[in-house]
Amino acid sequence: NAGVTQTPKFRVLKTGQSMTLLCAQDMNHEYMYWYRQDPGMGLRLIHYSVGEGTTAKGEVPDGYNVSRLKKQNFLLGLESAAPSQTSVYFCASTQPGPSGQFFGPGTRLTVL
Amino acid sequence: AQSVSQHNHHVILSEAASLELGCNYSYGGTVNLFWYVQYPGQHLQLLLKYFSGDPLVKGIKGFEAEFIKSKFSFNLRKPSVQWSDTAEYFCAVNGGGGTSYGKLTFGQGTILTVHP
């Protein structure tokens, strides 16, 4: 039982390049989330999904797109990376009801 | 919109000292409250959570937190810290109810440094 995994762990992009971050969970959770973590700002919700085939915007969605074609996977895309998107990205998942979120190990992204 | 405020950005303690980290939230309805810990270079781990019932909740590694509804607070405490508690601590709130979909609003985080 791997929990929540993220690929890749590190990535360096040039401004304007695109990339996709992959999140996978093996706990059969319905809900999945993408956050970004910046110093002094805690974690901020980018997008989330409440089930396969559904996505919704969070607090800071601009510049990102997501897809949830399979229940266990949640992809975060950057179409044209900007230096302001330099951050650590965390994926999380949970089930409906009284439980906390389970987090992945994070992806450290640098945009030059 | 809900918000979470953690009063201390950086707390420095010696081993065996007592710890209290403040957390206040703004939300008018039913809330679920969480404390997460992030050890250096690692992902967030759940320390404890409050959903209902006894407002004093106990978590892992000797941590506890008290929900005071009238003060909109959920402060984290530990009677005696250890060097291994050095980490960043995040308070988070989820507006309870089906349409909240488990979404969390996080505080800014408090870095705890414990000196041996």
Side-chain angles (χ1 to χ4, degrees):
Chain A
N1 189 337
V4 180
T5 58
Q6 293 182 232
T7 309
K9 289 184 170 53
F10 303 93
R11 187 70 186 269
V12 178
L13 291 178
K14 295 181 180 178
T15 297
Q17 287 185 318
S18 64
M19 77 163 295
T20 300
L21 306 183
L22 171 64
C23 174
Q25 52 94 4
D26 61 2
M27 297 173 283
N28 201 35
H29 285 168
E30 287 294 330
Y31 299 165
M32 296 187 74
Y33 313 85
W34 276 107
Y35 294 91
R36 60 177 290 172
Q37 182 182 27
D38 302 292
M41 303 186 74
L43 279 77
R44 292 179 293 168
L45 182 64
I46 304 172
H47 285 281
Y48 65 101
S49 167
V50 299
E52 182 178 314
T54 74
T55 63
K57 293 180 180 179
E59 181 185 353
V60 289
D62 293 343
Y64 305 95
N65 55 75
V66 288
S67 63
R68 185 131 179 241
L69 300 179
K70 294 182 179 180
K71 186 177 183 179
Q72 64 267 33
N73 296 338
F74 195 29
L75 278 63
L76 177 71
L78 286 72
E79 291 185 346
S80 179
S84 61
Q85 294 177 304
T86 293
S87 188
V88 181
Y89 292 85
F90 286 99
C91 176
S93 70
T94 193
Q95 276 291 87
S99 59
Q101 293 181 13
F102 293 82
F103 283 81
T107 295
R108 185 173 295 275
L109 175 66
T110 301
V111 183
L112 302 175
Chain B
Q2 56 201 26
S3 65
V4 180
S5 177
Q6 293 182 238
H7 314 298
N8 310 101
H9 174 64
H10 194 178
V11 173
I12 302 172
L13 296 173
S14 298
E15 275 194 319
S18 64
L19 170 71
E20 181 161 2
L21 301 182
C23 173
N24 285 92
Y25 66 92
S26 66
Y27 186 75
T30 303
V31 291
N32 302 317
L33 298 157
F34 306 82
W35 275 97
Y36 282 86
V37 60
Q38 185 178 30
Y39 298 103
Q42 296 190 24
H43 62 285
L44 275 77
Q45 302 173 41
L46 183 65
L47 264 182
L48 48 78
K49 61 187 178 185
Y50 172 81
F51 278 75
S52 62
D54 189 343
L56 183 62
V57 293
K58 295 189 183 299
I60 61 172
K61 304 187 181 187
F63 286 92
E64 65 179 31
E66 184 175 13
F67 170 50
I68 303 179
K69 188 175 182 180
S70 61
K71 295 185 178 181
F72 297 89
S73 69
F74 190 56
N75 292 354
L76 181 71
R77 300 195 292 249
K78 186 171 184 179
S80 176
V81 295
Q82 301 173 313
W83 176 78
S84 57
D85 293 325
T86 294
E88 189 163 13
Y89 293 80
F90 294 94
C91 181
V93 62
N94 162 242
T99 58
S100 69
Y101 300 120
K103 291 181 292 180
L104 294 177
T105 299
F106 283 85
Q108 305 93 322
T110 297
I111 298 169
L112 172 65
T113 301
V114 180
H115 291 304

